[in-house]
Amino acid sequence: MSIDRIAQLKALHLFGMAAAWSEWLSEYGSQQKPVMPEVWLDRLILAEQADRQARSLNYQLKAARFPIHRDLIHFDWQETPLQQAQMEQLATGNFMDQAYNLILVGGTGTGKTHLATALGIAAIHQSKRVRFYNAVELVNHLDKEKQQGKAGNLAKQLTFMDAVILDELGYLPFPASGGALLFHLISQLYEKTSLIITTNLSFGEWVHVFGDAKMTTALLDRVTHHCDILETGNDSYRFKQRKKAVENR
């Protein structure tokens, strides 16, 4: 009676081992296989570890909800005042260990979202947990949570993240109640979870988003307490690319 070891391994959710066993069967066929059990066991264990790491990475990338994949390799460093070495250092994710914040400030099309996403993806590759939100979508989520009598649930969940990316703060307005909800969330994450914020507003303009001067001052005090402010400039990279394309026709 033959034993279907591959099926047994899959039934035990040892998919890496199952794949490695299948490869060994194909590799050796009817030839004599290594007899030392340590050789077999080591290869199977390594295969299972690699498979679980890959599955975990894929899961965390999907859970982060990035709108699109971005990395630092494909960023045009000639079009930004930022230093490549500094961004590559931030890509290690070490700043998240101290719940340090980053604020990327600049005009539309200057690479803020690209960089924030690239840093988040790089951090996940370093076994960090990251969640991406568009600012307006996050406010809508918080408002819906409040209406359902579940206020505070998302804040509790996000305190277990290593970083939360808050994208496009200030691009679109939201109700005053939304500003208060966002203030409460950021207060809950203070010194627990890193924030990576992208915005086209100077700090003096944040009051237009949150609607209350005292609340805005308190918010900025928390956000900038442990923080690097990265200025991406105001010249749109996309606009310059389109202009070059037109000129080269």
Side-chain angles (χ1 to χ4, degrees):
M1 178 180 175
S2 62
I3 300 175
D4 190 343
R5 293 185 175 86
I6 294 176
Q8 289 180 328
L9 290 169
K10 288 182 177 180
L12 292 169
H13 299 284
L14 298 172
F15 301 105
M17 288 189 177
W21 186 265
S22 178
E23 289 174 5
W24 266 38
L25 292 178
S26 300
E27 180 179 342
Y28 286 98
S30 60
Q31 300 177 22
Q32 185 176 359
K33 301 176 180 62
V35 294
M36 294 181 65
E38 295 87 353
V39 175
W40 291 77
L41 186 59
D42 287 346
R43 184 163 176 177
L44 290 171
I45 290 173
L46 287 173
E48 185 61 32
Q49 288 175 332
D51 181 74
R52 293 195 178 199
Q53 289 172 355
R55 288 174 180 272
S56 175
L57 177 62
N58 288 333
Y59 172 79
Q60 291 298 337
L61 287 171
K62 289 181 181 179
R65 306 282 181 86
F66 295 112
I68 193 169
H69 186 279
R70 288 286 183 260
D71 56 46
L72 295 182
I73 296 174
H74 296 96
F75 189 77
D76 190 345
W77 299 104
Q78 302 298 319
E79 299 292 342
T80 180
L82 297 175
Q83 297 298 312
Q84 182 176 357
Q86 179 188 17
M87 299 307 298
E88 289 176 346
Q89 174 60 35
L90 292 172
T92 64
N94 291 338
F95 70 93
M96 298 177 187
D97 295 335
Q98 288 78 41
Y100 213 76
N101 299 327
L102 301 177
I103 302 178
L104 291 99
V105 186
T108 301
T110 56
K112 301 184 298 299
T113 299
H114 183 134
L115 290 170
T117 302
L119 292 178
I121 289 175
I124 290 176
H125 280 271
Q126 301 298 323
S127 301
K128 305 290 187 184
R129 292 162 298 178
V130 179
R131 183 67 166 86
F132 182 102
Y133 285 101
N134 173 276
V136 174
E137 291 176 353
L138 177 56
V139 167
N140 290 338
H141 185 117
L142 292 171
D143 185 57
K144 183 178 179 180
E145 184 183 64
K146 182 181 178 181
Q147 292 177 17
Q148 294 175 341
K150 299 177 181 179
N153 284 0
L154 181 61
K156 291 178 183 177
Q157 294 172 23
L158 294 181
T159 57
F160 292 101
M161 295 289 109
D162 293 291
V164 172
I165 298 173
L166 184 58
D167 191 42
E168 296 189 339
L169 179 67
Y171 278 78
L172 293 173
F174 43 76
S177 59
L181 291 170
L182 193 56
F183 169 78
H184 179 71
L185 172 66
I186 291 175
S187 298
Q188 292 292 103
L189 300 182
Y190 177 56
E191 294 192 324
K192 297 173 186 172
T193 301
S194 290
L195 285 171
I196 302 176
I197 300 173
T198 73
T199 181
N200 62 339
L201 302 178
S202 65
F203 289 142
E205 296 174 302
W206 281 37
V207 67
H208 301 308
V209 175
F210 293 94
D212 182 277
K214 290 184 178 180
M215 182 171 66
T216 303
T217 300
L219 177 73
L220 285 170
D221 181 63
R222 287 169 172 79
V223 171
T224 61
H225 183 202
H226 309 290
C227 180
D228 274 350
I229 299 168
L230 309 172
E231 296 185 15
T232 60
N234 290 304
D235 296 330
S236 170
Y237 170 72
R238 290 190 293 268
F239 176 78
K240 285 187 284 187
Q241 288 296 100
R242 288 195 297 269
K243 184 177 178 181
K244 287 180 182 179
V246 171
E247 291 174 349
N248 292 331
R249 285 178 182 173

